[in-house]
Amino acid sequence: MIPDFATKACGDTIFINLWLPIQRNYVSKGNEINLEIETAFPTSGKNRLKLTRSNPGNQVLALRIPGWAEGRYKFISGNDTVSPPVCAGYAYVDAGGVKSLEIEADFNLQSKLNELNGMQAITLGPISFARDNRYNDGDVDECGVIETDPEGNVAARLVMVPDKFSWLTLEVPMVSGTDLEDSENRKARYVKFCDFGSAGNDWAKDGRYRVWITRPIHAMSQPYRKY
């Protein structure tokens, strides 16, 4: 079902709905069309699409732009950055007049901080992450401040961990706890988060994981609210 939905041909338009490693063949008006997609996700936001045809056609490629990449993407053809028109979340690339065409779609995959009601959560593209007590790197329920740049990007390190419980591990810079009188405690350390799909996947009774991290209240830096 998913491979069938990943790419769809509708008339002279081929829709790329999901950026998956896939190869598809279509026939349109007697023209044999081969479509290949390569992706480095989730270690990178770069994808490569190759379109080859038996004869030059007039197809249009409708390339889906993921919601998390809004405003942070580019398309490259050859050595040139192209700016195709965008409508309803799809970039429309004219692929007419040539037998083959290669497009690189770079969605600038970046760890982001999401904040709500004094809580913080980490995402990498569409993937949510959680602290898991199996990492043994602190209490998963402790509060802390996740470090970001002014745009909310997190300088996290993605680590592929084979033969362990997680599919992905993200090392996140965080100042943990509330005892900040000691200067050493005010320094950020890298805390491990796993992808949410792997969190608690051993179903252990004493297992704990947490997506939303409480941000400590600092009375001297909170905005004043009139009683």
Side-chain angles (χ1 to χ4, degrees):
M1 182 177 178
I2 290 179
D4 184 60
F5 174 77
T7 66
K8 278 288 187 181
C10 183
D12 289 329
T13 302
I14 299 177
F15 289 87
I16 310 301
N17 298 310
L18 293 173
W19 294 93
L20 301 174
I22 198 170
Q23 179 175 346
R24 300 296 297 273
N25 295 301
Y26 298 103
V27 176
S28 176
K29 300 176 182 178
N31 198 356
E32 297 180 359
I33 302 169
N34 177 263
L35 182 71
E36 294 182 44
I37 299 176
E38 299 175 357
T39 180
F41 184 84
T43 57
S44 166
K46 292 186 177 182
N47 307 268
R48 183 174 297 276
L49 181 150
K50 184 176 182 181
L51 177 74
T52 56
R53 294 172 287 202
S54 56
N55 296 294
N58 58 350
Q59 278 77 29
V60 172
L61 296 174
L63 311 178
R64 178 175 173 266
I65 302 170
W68 52 264
E70 197 67 40
R72 296 184 294 111
Y73 63 87
K74 61 181 177 181
F75 297 104
I76 301 171
S77 180
N79 296 319
D80 301 322
T81 299
V82 295
S83 301
V86 176
C87 180
Y90 286 81
Y92 288 82
V93 177
D94 185 358
V98 294
K99 278 192 174 183
S100 64
L101 178 69
E102 286 194 26
I103 295 286
E104 181 181 302
D106 187 353
F107 296 122
N108 189 22
L109 192 65
Q110 176 66 53
S111 302
K112 300 286 290 185
L113 179 68
N114 306 271
E115 296 188 89
L116 180 67
N117 298 332
M119 310 291 282
Q120 310 156 95
I122 289 286
T123 53
L124 178 67
I127 306 173
S128 296
F129 283 77
R131 290 196 70 177
D132 192 299
N133 66 350
R134 288 173 290 179
Y135 284 124
N136 295 314
D137 64 349
D139 187 347
V140 300
D141 294 314
E142 70 180 339
C143 61
V145 177
I146 296 172
E147 291 195 334
T148 68
D149 65 16
E151 296 180 354
N153 299 315
V154 181
R157 304 184 300 208
L158 182 63
V159 182
M160 304 301 287
V161 185
D163 303 321
K164 289 195 176 181
F165 67 87
S166 66
W167 173 49
L168 297 174
T169 292
L170 201 63
E171 295 179 335
V172 177
M174 187 172 80
V175 178
S176 303
T178 57
D179 182 13
L180 304 180
E181 293 185 8
D182 187 334
S183 60
E184 288 299 313
N185 293 340
R186 293 196 294 267
K187 295 180 181 179
R189 66 182 181 92
Y190 281 96
V191 177
K192 291 182 179 179
F193 286 65
C194 69
D195 61 284
F196 183 69
S198 299
N201 61 2
D202 61 350
W203 300 95
K205 291 182 178 180
D206 58 349
R208 288 193 63 81
Y209 62 89
R210 189 176 186 91
V211 173
W212 288 96
I213 306 301
T214 304
R215 186 183 184 96
I217 297 174
H218 193 310
M220 298 299 291
S221 63
Q222 297 298 306
Y224 173 74
R225 296 182 180 179
K226 186 176 181 180
Y227 293 98

